[in-house]
Amino acid sequence: MRKPLPIGVDNFKKVIKEYYYNDKSMLLKELLDLKGEVNLFMSVPGYREKGGYTDRRV
């Protein structure tokens, strides 16, 4: 049975259980371990405006 894509679902626990989810955490770890001179991390356009991003400055 194929799982649907989690379009419009905002509950992460539900996404993991009921929808197609591809965890790329290890790819980020590998990128950081390479210690490149410059690393560029981009987010989805509009992510900040839709309330999915919290700017936490220390």
Side-chain angles (χ1 to χ4, degrees):
M1 181 175 140
R2 295 181 73 174
K3 292 184 175 183
L5 294 174
I7 299 172
V9 181
D10 60 356
N11 184 332
F12 186 68
K13 289 181 181 181
K14 186 175 182 178
V15 168
I16 293 174
K17 291 178 184 177
E18 301 176 21
Y19 294 89
Y20 177 77
Y21 173 73
N22 189 1
D23 186 5
K24 297 194 178 198
S25 302
M26 295 308 291
L27 290 174
L28 286 172
K29 181 187 179 313
E30 184 179 333
L31 176 68
L32 293 173
D33 288 344
L34 292 175
K35 295 184 171 117
E37 196 170 314
V38 175
N39 292 321
L40 176 64
F41 297 93
M42 299 179 68
S43 68
V44 178
Y47 185 65
R48 195 174 211 172
E49 290 80 19
K50 293 178 183 170
Y53 176 82
T54 303
D55 189 9
R56 293 187 179 134
R57 297 180 186 196
V58 179

